[in-house]
Amino acid sequence: MPALALTGTRALAAPKSRGFSNKLLSALPDDVRDDFVSDLTKVDLPRRTPLETRKKRIDYVYFLEGGIASIVATNDMQVEVGIIGYEGVTGLSILHMSERAIYSAYMQVGGFGWRASASALRRLMDENAQSRRVFLAFAQAFLVQTAETAVANARASVGERLARWILMAQDRVRSDEIPLTHEFLALMMAARRPGVTEAMHELERRGLVVGERGRVIVRDRTGLIERAGSYYGVPETEFGRLLRV
């Protein structure tokens, strides 16, 4: 089947260096990573770039260096079930020895990263046990994230969920400024836009964030963590434990 169309993607040659921000690439053994460099192509990934299509074969995986990818379940409506940033790689089905995407994936916050063929990633996992451990550790941490997202969607208030989501996004953009709109947040959180807008106003009244047109600015991360309560932190702790980062 043809590769996914990447409108606006610009391919660049991979550098022969170890200077990766991506946590998984950084966690690979030095000699293995140096060999894998030849399978990587640097790509720009503007917002809305499709990375995977539900029920379609995955031809490429993406090691993000910047930006955020949304993993989205689609039934009667779109619901975000997980996000991936510079800590991970898309193509979770490939890590589990499958080849079809269960969900769709696209760039929610534009950035860039490294593209590799799915076959190259399979070969890397088949040939090197340490690399396989790294990728399966990430898959485990991501499963924890999706489980915690389900718990938050079922039990948390919109305000708690919003605080959690902003924290997760900030972790990945590594900045206090996050390019987000209320409309997009409502879609991803499966919540009504007026409810998300009111929750944002509540965070603003508390002095935790400032909402501007097309972006959210974090002012008090500690306060956001307190507002999110127990719904933030479990996947982050698990990722650090499994990958020791």
Side-chain angles (χ1 to χ4, degrees):
M1 296 180 67
L4 298 177
L6 293 178
T7 304
T9 296
R10 177 170 56 90
L12 303 170
K16 296 186 179 302
S17 72
R18 299 171 184 172
F20 293 104
S21 295
N22 183 274
K23 293 293 188 180
L24 297 185
L25 292 177
S26 297
L28 295 176
D30 290 348
D31 58 336
V32 173
R33 182 176 56 247
D34 291 345
D35 288 342
F36 191 50
V37 162
S38 62
D39 292 309
L40 299 176
T41 301
K42 192 173 186 179
V43 289
D44 288 334
L45 298 169
R47 183 172 178 268
R48 295 292 185 184
T49 299
L51 306 177
E52 299 172 24
T53 302
R54 177 174 173 262
K55 295 184 178 181
K56 299 295 185 181
R57 173 177 167 175
I58 299 172
D59 291 302
Y60 294 100
V61 299
Y62 297 84
F63 296 87
L64 300 188
E65 297 264 306
I68 301 174
S70 276
I71 313 302
V72 177
T74 304
N75 195 345
D76 293 334
M77 61 187 299
Q78 288 189 333
V79 179
E80 184 178 76
V81 297
I83 62 176
I84 297 171
Y86 78 107
E87 84 286 358
V89 64
T90 65
L92 272 294
S93 295
I94 302 300
L95 304 186
H96 292 296
M97 304 303 164
S98 183
E99 63 178 21
R100 285 205 317 168
I102 304 300
Y103 303 115
S104 296
Y106 61 87
M107 293 300 294
Q108 173 191 124
V109 175
F112 67 100
W114 301 98
R115 184 178 66 195
S117 67
S119 59
L121 180 56
R122 288 193 197 95
R123 184 170 62 251
L124 178 63
M125 293 181 68
D126 288 343
E127 294 177 354
N128 186 271
Q130 177 62 15
S131 297
R132 185 163 59 251
R133 190 202 71 80
V134 167
F135 291 118
L136 292 180
F138 169 70
Q140 167 69 12
F142 185 81
L143 285 174
V144 173
Q145 183 197 137
T146 60
E148 290 297 309
T149 296
V151 171
N153 287 346
R155 303 188 62 178
S157 68
V158 174
E160 289 169 328
R161 290 161 58 194
L162 179 60
R164 173 183 185 264
W165 200 98
I166 292 173
L167 288 164
M168 293 173 65
Q170 186 188 29
D171 289 341
R172 288 159 177 82
V173 300
R174 293 164 285 177
S175 170
D176 291 339
E177 296 189 14
I178 308 167
L180 295 170
T181 64
H182 292 196
E183 181 179 8
F184 187 81
L185 281 168
L187 177 65
M188 290 299 96
M189 293 171 57
R192 296 178 65 248
R193 182 174 175 178
V196 171
T197 298
E198 175 53 35
M200 185 68 73
H201 290 333
E202 177 210 337
L203 297 183
E204 289 180 308
R205 287 194 294 270
R206 291 173 178 239
L208 307 182
V209 303
V210 174
E212 297 184 352
R213 184 176 180 84
R215 66 175 181 166
V216 175
I217 303 172
V218 175
R219 294 299 191 202
D220 182 355
R221 180 177 172 86
T222 300
L224 274 178
I225 292 173
E226 292 175 356
R227 183 67 183 94
S230 63
Y231 299 106
Y232 172 77
V234 174
E236 292 71 24
T237 299
E238 187 72 354
F239 184 86
R241 182 184 71 83
L242 289 169
L243 283 163
R244 298 180 180 87
V245 294

